[in-house]
Amino acid sequence: MKRAIQFRDIATASALLLGLATAQASVITTPIDQIPLSGAASLSFSGDLLGALDTGKVSVTAYGAAISTITKDNDGFYTGGTVSAPLTTLTYDPANFEIFGMGSTGGLTMTAPILKNVSSGGSLTVTDLRADLSAQTIYATVIGGNGVGTISDMALWHFSGLSSQRYTRYQTIDTSFSGLSVAITGLTITQQGFNAFTQSLGLLTLGKSALMGVTDYGTITSTIEMMDAPNFPWSVTSVPEPSTYALMGLGLAGLVMAAKRRRSA
């Protein structure tokens, strides 16, 4: 009886590993209009980021297909900033409509003037964001001045928060849209991203200090919706990290070793 339990445990662990690997392998990336869905992603600047932009007197404009909404007070200081871009791709599991990532087109361009001890001048464009929800990472194409050039699909930010909420909106009395709003919060810049920002914008001592003080870059809110879908099936989930598979593998190895020891006892 003991041996049967041991081998059953091993078989269960093996099946779980195989099931997780199969589930991850079924995830695909598709143009969003082929599903068909529509959507947009909006980056709302944090107070920290707005303060750093003020320090360097950095201007912000929309790039490509994006639309920007920038507000300032009477003294010319930033009070808010949002850049919205259309979603172009969705990474998901077609078996259960679970979303693992999304991509957008367009972004923003930041231009820094020459400012003593702050910047020697430069520009940086951040465009075509791609959110990997399982890796908790935002990738982007970066186009920088001062010798940076174009870096495609660079890991720009990590994020710590992820939440979602379903909604229904009515365009007319007879036309409704069902959707999912996904909020990504707690954006922190990667080392590669920090280096790209500082070099592209020509940041000097005070400029680098201001950028280092940005502990949260803002919130990315994505909306994904379809027309006349009362049973909207889409949801957000996460894929186990590689470390999870490693831990499960160690657990399986432990079960095998324990079974061998008991058989030899």
Side-chain angles (χ1 to χ4, degrees), residues 198-248:
T198 54
Q199 183 176 340
S200 298
L201 296 174
L203 299 184
L204 304 175
T205 303
L206 294 180
K208 289 180 181 179
S209 178
L211 189 62
M212 289 178 65
V214 181
T215 58
D216 184 349
Y217 277 70
T219 298
I220 297 176
T221 303
S222 299
T223 55
I224 303 161
E225 61 182 27
M226 61 195 313
M227 184 184 296
D228 299 327
N231 297 317
F232 190 75
W234 297 89
S235 63
V236 167
T237 188
S238 60
V239 178
E241 298 289 338
S243 58
T244 302
Y245 290 111
L247 287 173
M248 293 183 66

Side-chain angles (χ1 to χ4, degrees), residues 36-211:
L37 294 168
S38 61
S42 298
L43 169 63
S44 299
F45 302 170
S46 68
D48 283 354
L49 180 55
L50 293 174
L53 295 174
D54 281 329
T55 297
K57 299 188 182 302
V58 178
S59 63
V60 179
T61 56
Y63 177 85
I67 299 173
S68 63
T69 302
I70 307 297
T71 57
K72 296 183 178 182
D73 62 19
N74 293 333
D75 296 319
F77 292 104
Y78 285 103
T79 58
T82 301
V83 178
S84 300
L87 290 180
T88 54
T89 61
L90 202 66
T91 300
Y92 68 102
D93 185 342
N96 51 25
F97 299 100
E98 292 178 328
I99 299 171
F100 297 98
M102 57 203 75
S104 62
T105 181
L108 59 89
T109 296
M110 294 171 281
T111 304
I114 298 175
L115 196 61
K116 185 178 180 180
N117 295 329
V118 178
S119 173
S120 59
S123 66
L124 173 68
T125 295
V126 177
T127 186
D128 300 347
L129 270 60
R130 178 175 68 86
D132 186 331
L133 303 185
S134 59
Q136 294 183 284
T137 302
I138 305 297
Y139 298 84
T141 293
V142 170
I143 307 169
N146 298 317
V148 171
T150 300
I151 306 174
S152 300
D153 208 36
M154 183 184 78
L156 180 60
W157 293 304
H158 295 308
F159 62 86
S160 58
L162 176 65
S163 61
S164 64
Q165 183 175 1
R166 285 191 172 92
Y167 66 88
T168 300
R169 69 178 181 88
Y170 291 88
Q171 190 172 45
T172 65
I173 296 178
D174 299 321
T175 304
S176 66
F177 288 83
S178 297
L180 185 71
S181 176
V182 181
I184 295 173
T185 57
L187 298 178
T188 56
I189 199 165
T190 64
Q191 185 60 54
Q192 186 180 14
F194 182 85
N195 293 341
F197 267 66
T198 54
Q199 183 176 340
S200 298
L201 296 174
L203 299 184
L204 304 175
T205 303
L206 294 180
K208 289 180 181 179
S209 178
L211 189 62

